[in-house]
Amino acid sequence: MTTHSKHHIKHRSIRIIVGVLLLCNIAFAQDTLKSTNESFPLEELKDYTQTFYYSQGYEERAISIAMFMEDAGTYFQKEIGFTPKTTLYILAPKHWKEFAAKPLREVYGFPHNATSGQLVIAAEDNDFWRSFLPPVDSLHPSIAADVTTAYGKLDGSFSMMPFFDLLALHEMGHSYTSQAGLNMHRYWMGELFVNIMLHTYIAEKQPELLPALETFPNMVIGMGKAEFKFTSLEDFEELYPTLGMGPKNYGWYQCMLHSAAKDIYHSGGEIVLKKLWNALEKHQEEMTDEEFIDMLYKEVHPSVANVYLNWNKT
Ligand SMILES: [Zn+2]
């Protein structure tokens, strides 16, 4: 049983996760998600393909997120011929601890799969999202200008909500691959694939959202990798199951994979998503690195193989 007392996120936790993009395909085992808070129930949106629950008072925001997800679902059904079954929870702080996966109950705003197919996202702006942005006047002028365009608000403050809201689609992407039974072969491919889904959809159907999607990874990669202990894909494969590289270092990998998805879209276009989906569905067999990369190069697109081949050159 969880308590519902007002809870403030601890600043220590925030510091640990500053600059982090900890979004992985981890379904944390826990009981079926049901509200036990009778005085503050969840509402449900009706008439959508997927199931959407939201905290009372956030109907407008829930509808806007649901429409975004449904439009993306329509696009993916057309492109790859599959629609998973998911439930999305759009939660106020007072519901968060009740529904979030155990390790993330203290981190309001951290989008994730609480159980397989059950995605948890925040209804309102929060300290976790704010922790990602360094003071904008400390950034390189061109990056600062991009950050202002992407995340600036009319009152002069900044919000990372436009970026984090897009990550709901990254999380939903994991439901596509797992429910369709694709063999992702490598952890990096599991994460790259959902970033290709996200980038392709935004670029094709909602290009006005590209600044929100691209600016944060550009900023992180632009800061360089000197501070990170782990930067190879071999390390990523070894450390991914336990997040042994640490959350901040993991965030750097995610930014690299967002950037790679952008490059793939620019090189190969929309069709790469479908070709990669088909190849991962077809190739259920175990493959060595060499066989896997060769297959990606010949059957999908050279740009996908190049993520692996050029990783250490960047
Ligand atoms: Zn992920």
Side-chain angles (χ1 to χ4, degrees):
M1 191 68 76
T2 56
T3 61
H4 303 289
S5 57
K6 195 172 176 188
H7 181 82
H8 296 285
I9 295 170
K10 293 188 184 78
H11 283 283
R12 193 175 61 85
S13 317
I14 290 295
R15 274 207 312 279
I16 291 169
I17 309 173
V18 162
V20 172
L21 195 57
L22 186 53
L23 294 155
C24 48
N25 185 25
I26 294 176
F28 299 97
Q30 67 180 50
D31 298 334
T32 307
L33 304 180
K34 273 186 191 160
S35 180
T36 53
N37 188 346
E38 287 168 14
S39 60
F40 191 70
L42 287 183
E43 308 279 339
E44 184 179 355
L45 288 180
K46 301 289 184 190
D47 303 324
Y48 290 92
T49 311
Q50 305 296 336
T51 305
F52 296 93
Y53 290 109
Y54 63 95
S55 299
Q56 254 176 8
Y58 293 94
E59 184 178 10
E60 197 178 322
R61 188 155 152 69
I63 289 171
S64 113
I65 291 168
M67 287 173 68
F68 171 70
M69 303 296 273
E70 294 281 302
D71 286 348
T74 302
Y75 173 78
F76 293 135
Q77 178 60 46
K78 184 171 76 64
E79 290 298 309
I80 55 186
F82 185 79
T83 301
K85 206 70 207 136
T86 63
T87 303
L88 187 71
Y89 294 80
I90 301 148
L91 301 173
K94 66 171 78 175
H95 272 138
W96 186 266
K97 285 181 83 172
E98 193 179 343
F99 291 93
K102 207 169 184 178
L104 300 173
R105 283 185 189 154
E106 306 300 322
V107 194
Y108 179 69
F110 195 126
H112 62 285
N113 291 293
T115 67
S116 184
Q118 296 188 300
L119 322 180
V120 176
I121 66 170
E124 59 184 61
D125 205 353
N126 55 75
D127 286 348
F128 177 66
W129 294 352
R130 281 185 280 271
S131 73
F132 285 83
L133 261 190
V136 174
D137 55 15
S138 73
L139 296 170
H140 185 278
S142 70
I143 300 279
D146 288 347
V147 166
T148 303
T149 301
Y151 312 124
K153 301 204 304 186
L154 289 175
D155 64 3
S157 65
F158 295 87
S159 172
M160 293 290 287
M161 184 183 277
F163 178 76
F164 278 92
D165 279 1
L166 300 181
L167 298 184
L169 209 49
H170 169 115
E171 294 303 328
M172 196 177 174
H174 288 306
S175 298
Y176 277 79
T177 58
S178 62
Q179 291 183 27
L182 268 56
N183 183 355
M184 306 313 288
H185 293 274
R186 299 294 183 274
Y187 293 120
W188 63 263
M189 177 53 76
E191 296 302 325
L192 174 66
F193 184 84
V194 295
N195 286 341
I196 293 172
M197 285 180 76
L198 174 58
H199 196 96
T200 303
Y201 173 68
I202 297 299
E204 287 290 323
K205 297 294 176 186
Q206 305 232 285
E208 70 279 8
L209 299 177
L210 281 172
L213 177 63
E214 295 178 351
T215 300
F216 178 70
N218 286 348
M219 182 182 82
V220 171
I221 294 169
M223 288 171 175
K225 59 182 179 182
E227 68 172 296
F228 300 114
K229 185 174 178 190
F230 305 104
T231 56
S232 72
L233 281 181
E234 291 73 21
D235 286 339
F236 186 77
E237 290 304 297
E238 190 182 328
L239 300 168
Y240 182 93
T242 59
L243 290 176
M245 70 288 274
K248 191 171 183 184
N249 204 155
Y250 181 83
W252 177 82
Y253 278 108
Q254 274 291 353
C255 287
M256 288 288 285
L257 293 168
H258 276 289
S259 186
K262 175 180 68 180
D263 293 342
I264 288 165
Y265 177 78
H266 287 167
S267 305
E270 183 184 28
I271 191 68
V272 176
L273 172 62
K274 188 178 183 173
K275 290 177 82 172
L276 183 54
W277 173 275
N278 289 342
L280 295 169
E281 196 173 39
K282 174 182 160 194
H283 289 283
Q284 294 287 328
E285 74 277 18
E286 291 292 309
M287 296 173 118
T288 64
D289 280 347
E290 199 180 347
E291 288 165 345
F292 185 49
I293 299 308
D294 194 52
M295 182 279 286
L296 293 173
Y297 199 96
K298 290 174 180 160
E299 294 184 35
V300 183
H301 194 269
S303 63
V304 183
N306 284 341
V307 175
Y308 178 91
L309 295 171
N310 295 338
W311 187 272
N312 292 327
K313 294 179 192 165
T314 49

